[in-house]
Structures are given as C-alpha cells and as structure tokens.
Amino acid sequence: MKRLSPVFLSVVVLTLFSCAKEYSLESSSDPTGNGIIIGTDCRISKIAYHDTTTGLALGSLIANINTSDNVTNITKFDSLAFTIDFVSTPFYASDTVFINADEYFLVDLASRRIKQLHALLDPTDPFSLQYEVFYFYDTNGFLNQKFFAFTSNPGIPFYLVNYTYSSGKMISMTGTDLFTGDLVIDAQVDYYSNVIPKRFLYIFPDEEGYPYFSQFYNFGTKPTNGPKSIKVRNYDPGNVLRDSIVSVFGSYVMSRDNYVLSVIMTGDDQPSIPAPAGKLSFSYKCK
C-alpha cells in the first residue's frame, strides 16, 4: 500500500479523533476506571494497542460512527511508522453496505443484523473467485452458523462454521470442509464469571478475513462475560493438527457502568481480534 505523507496523515488523524465523541480511559486521569461513566447506549469505536512493557503506543483501529449509528469510515493506524495500513469508507444503499467497490454486506432490515457477505477470494483482485457467506442466528440472537458458497453456485455450500453457546457465551467453534468432511479449524473459549461487560468484543475465532469489520457491525448478541482465554487449532487434511494459537486475557479495567476500558492480552495474536497481543484500550461512541 502506498505510504501517505506525514502532513496528510496528521490531518487524517486529527480528523479521526475529532469527528466522534469518544469515551475511554485514555481521556481520564483515573487509571482504575472507577470514576468513569461511559453511557447508557454505547459501542466500541476504537481499539488502541500498546506495548505492555514500555507502554509505547503501537497502533489503533478506529471507526467513525454517525448519528444514524452507521459506520462511515474504518482506519487502521500504525503509530510507530505513522502510516495508515488499512482504510475503508462504507457506502450504504438500502439493505446493502458496500465495504469496497466489489464486496458488501447485506443487512436484515428488521433485526439490523448482518445476514450475508459477498466477497472475493482475493480482495486485491477484482476478477478473483466470488463467494457468499450466509449468517444464521438462534432465537436468542446469537450467531450460531455460517455457510460459505461460491457465488456461481450458492445452493451448494463448501464450508460450514458452527458456534456452540452456554449461558450466553460462545464456548466452542468448528469449521468444516463440506466437500471432504475434514475439520479445518476449531476453538475453545473460557470466560471470567465475574467480568460482565456491556457490548464488548465479538468472539468469532474463525474470522480471519474481515476482522476489521466484525467488531463494528451487528453480528447478533455479544457474549455476556469477558474472555479469559481463547485457544484455536488449525488442521491439515485428514484432521491432522497443524498448529494452535492461545491467548490469555487479564487485568481488566472497567468503567463504573461496566464497559471495558482496557485489558491485557498475552500469548499469541488472534487473527479474529484486530489488535496484536498487548494492552488493548477501548473508546466508545454513545447514542
């Protein structure tokens, strides 16, 4: 990606930070969060990440959210190189959210949840093979299945993701190749019983392709508790374990009204969480 000039970036960064009224630990002198009240109807608008040893800012993922609660811009900023690594300016047309010229989400206008993704196998190539992802929710509003099918033959899915829930939390996941029956990926998630945040992160361990969008759009009900650990295993054909990644969460800092202000993630990076391991800090946009 072409690196943008420092002058232009300064303007962009100032704009990003001034467009939305944000609430976070970063704007407070209280490191415990006990005195901070976020609001009654707020959602994550920014994830900033820092080195846990030095406290050095590494980068951030920022969503601009307008008064209609629509995301108008998503930007990933590298604080060390002072460059923009990713930017998307979604365009809305009825039930369609175009995230770029070739890919889009479809929204269920009744529930406001994402029901379908039209994507490219290689998003950098507009002539790449096209496919669809269909999202299915249970009666409690939790995302419990995703079917993948090629656009040329949408009636025959080739990949299936299943999520299993217990007491309002996604505790396990499997991804299966429907042509061979082989397991491609699975995951287990543990949670803290005493960390009960409002509108915190979605936990979809399989989401590697579109994590910059998954935290800012409506994919159903969020987990009731804060994650303690995520373990993801990847398999080669024949259900042969290839590798695993494990992340542990701790040192939660909560606002007085139970929004997560920061958490420390140690161990491996999780591709589904759009931030590297380290201290993750959160800002919120309130209606």
Side-chain angles (χ1 to χ4, degrees):
M1 178 177 180
K2 182 180 179 181
R3 290 181 179 270
L4 303 177
S5 71
V7 173
F8 177 78
L9 281 171
S10 297
V11 174
V12 171
V13 172
L14 287 172
T15 301
L16 289 172
F17 278 91
S18 62
C19 282
K21 185 178 181 181
E22 293 183 344
Y23 297 82
S24 70
L25 188 63
E26 296 171 333
S27 60
S28 171
S29 60
D30 180 4
T32 68
N34 292 332
I36 298 175
I37 296 176
I38 299 297
T40 56
D41 191 359
C42 311
R43 63 187 181 106
I44 293 171
S45 61
K46 174 184 173 185
I47 306 172
Y49 31 99
H50 301 75
D51 181 84
T52 53
T53 302
T54 64
L56 186 67
L58 302 177
S60 59
L61 183 70
I62 306 167
N64 283 339
I65 303 171
N66 66 17
T67 55
S68 299
D69 202 36
N70 289 328
V71 175
T72 59
N73 180 278
I74 298 174
T75 303
K76 183 183 179 185
F77 181 68
D78 184 331
S79 298
L80 297 180
F82 207 66
T83 57
I84 290 177
D85 292 340
F86 171 86
V87 64
S88 173
T89 305
F91 172 76
Y92 295 78
S94 185
D95 66 344
T96 306
V97 183
F98 291 92
I99 58 177
N100 57 47
D102 303 296
E103 299 178 299
Y104 55 84
F105 289 110
L106 293 180
V107 179
D108 184 316
L109 294 179
S111 67
R112 307 304 302 173
R113 295 192 291 252
I114 298 295
K115 66 178 182 179
Q116 188 174 335
L117 166 66
H118 175 80
L120 300 176
L121 207 59
D122 179 1
T124 66
D125 179 5
F127 301 103
S128 175
L129 198 61
Q130 302 174 38
Y131 68 95
E132 314 294 323
V133 183
F134 300 92
Y135 301 84
F136 298 92
Y137 301 84
D138 65 18
T139 55
N140 294 312
F142 290 103
L143 178 62
N144 64 351
Q145 283 189 328
K146 295 193 302 192
F147 282 90
F148 292 67
F150 291 114
T151 302
S152 59
N153 198 354
I156 301 180
F158 63 85
Y159 185 63
L160 169 66
V161 175
N162 277 309
Y163 302 106
T164 301
Y165 291 84
S166 176
S167 302
K169 303 178 291 293
M170 196 282 290
I171 58 171
S172 64
M173 178 225 73
T174 58
T176 306
D177 183 329
L178 295 179
F179 290 159
T180 66
D182 288 339
L183 189 63
V184 176
I185 187 173
D186 68 11
Q188 278 75 45
V189 185
D190 291 324
Y191 297 84
Y192 289 97
S193 61
N194 61 340
V195 178
I196 307 175
K198 292 180 181 177
R199 302 188 74 177
F200 192 42
L201 295 172
Y202 281 118
I203 306 297
F204 301 135
D206 64 295
E207 186 55 75
E208 298 182 359
Y210 297 85
Y212 301 153
F213 300 96
S214 61
Q215 298 301 333
F216 301 126
Y217 285 92
N218 186 347
F219 291 92
T221 307
K222 290 192 171 183
T224 55
N225 296 66
K228 178 187 291 185
S229 66
I230 302 175
K231 182 176 183 179
V232 181
R233 293 178 291 256
N234 297 292
Y235 296 86
D236 288 327
N239 296 346
V240 177
L241 180 65
R242 180 173 73 249
D243 58 40
S244 63
I245 54 176
V246 180
S247 303
V248 177
F249 298 78
S251 301
Y252 278 87
V253 175
M254 310 290 291
S255 70
R256 186 187 295 183
D257 49 352
N258 288 327
Y259 289 90
V260 176
L261 299 176
S262 68
V263 66
I264 293 178
M265 181 173 75
T266 58
D268 299 314
D269 295 345
Q270 288 289 337
S272 61
I273 296 178
K279 181 181 179 181
L280 312 184
S281 299
F282 301 89
S283 299
Y284 294 83
K285 174 69 167 57
C286 301
K287 290 186 179 179

